[in-house]
Amino acid sequence: MVKPDGVQRGLVGEVINRIEKRGLKIVALRMNIISRESALKHYAEHSQKPFFKSLVDFITSAPSVSMVVEGKNAVAVMRAINGATNPANAATGSIRGDFALDTGRNIVHASDSPESAKREIEIHFKESEIAGYSRIDETWVYET
Ligand code: IDP
Ligand code: MG
């Protein structure tokens, strides 16, 4: 997900570019203002944290771009593309390491396990909004 700060800072294309060029496949994509109900579910694991209210307020404050991304080791690779949660610790070359300074304005979200990916996808997308397709470069990305 490109969070509202990423959208406002004109970084949607930059994020998508990095995902596509890595060889991962975007199979669903939407811009919208996330509902409070969805945001509360999405960040439920953080409901007892002191930053929870400001996080939910922020994520619902303006449009964000949600995506479903597939590919080999997609969860681990997406988290590496994004970089560490606190941008001060994020490697240069990652999105947060290149474009962010503050944990509360860290531009992107990615699921932290296949199980959380499944849970989060169900919050944000209907089955019919997810496209199954082959990318023409797949044999050049994956050894078969
Ligand atoms: P992640 O986005 O790298 O998975 P999580 O620990 O799951 O990081 O936290 C979710 C989001 O909550 C972070 O991306 C960040 O925007 C926000 N957050 C996490 N920790 C803090 C904090 O200590 N202060 C303010 N916001 C935080
Ligand atoms: Mg997380």
Side-chain angles (χ1 to χ4, degrees):
M1 175 189 294
V2 186
K3 296 180 182 180
D5 51 336
V7 174
Q8 292 298 322
R9 292 179 57 197
L11 292 170
V12 174
E14 178 72 39
V15 172
I16 289 175
N17 204 16
R18 288 171 180 227
I19 296 168
E20 284 189 310
K21 285 186 174 171
R22 186 65 183 264
L24 293 171
K25 180 163 68 181
I26 297 168
V27 296
L29 186 150
R30 178 200 311 113
M31 175 182 279
N32 69 329
I33 299 180
I34 294 178
S35 69
R36 197 153 188 97
E37 186 192 0
S38 292
L40 292 171
K41 279 195 224 162
H42 178 96
Y43 280 127
E45 66 173 308
H46 299 301
S47 63
Q48 301 309 311
K49 307 264 175 68
F51 58 83
F52 183 64
K53 185 180 179 299
S54 66
L55 177 61
V56 169
D57 286 348
F58 171 66
I59 210 79
T60 57
S61 65
S64 54
V65 173
S66 300
M67 285 173 255
V68 180
V69 174
E70 284 182 1
K72 189 171 184 179
N73 299 315
V75 167
V77 172
M78 262 319 309
R79 290 197 59 96
I81 289 172
N82 285 0
T85 304
N86 182 344
N89 303 325
T92 297
S94 67
I95 291 167
R96 289 163 171 171
D98 287 350
F99 301 111
L101 290 172
D102 188 87
T103 304
R105 297 286 184 273
N106 62 5
I107 303 177
V108 277
H109 165 83
S111 309
D112 63 10
S113 67
E115 296 71 34
S116 63
K118 182 176 183 302
R119 193 186 74 82
E120 291 169 13
I121 289 166
E122 285 172 2
I123 294 168
H124 299 290
F125 290 96
K126 292 183 253 178
E127 185 96 36
S128 61
E129 294 174 315
I130 301 171
Y133 69 102
S134 297
R135 238 170 73 166
I136 201 163
D137 63 357
E138 274 172 15
T139 55
W140 302 99
V141 175
Y142 297 107
E143 199 170 28
T144 50

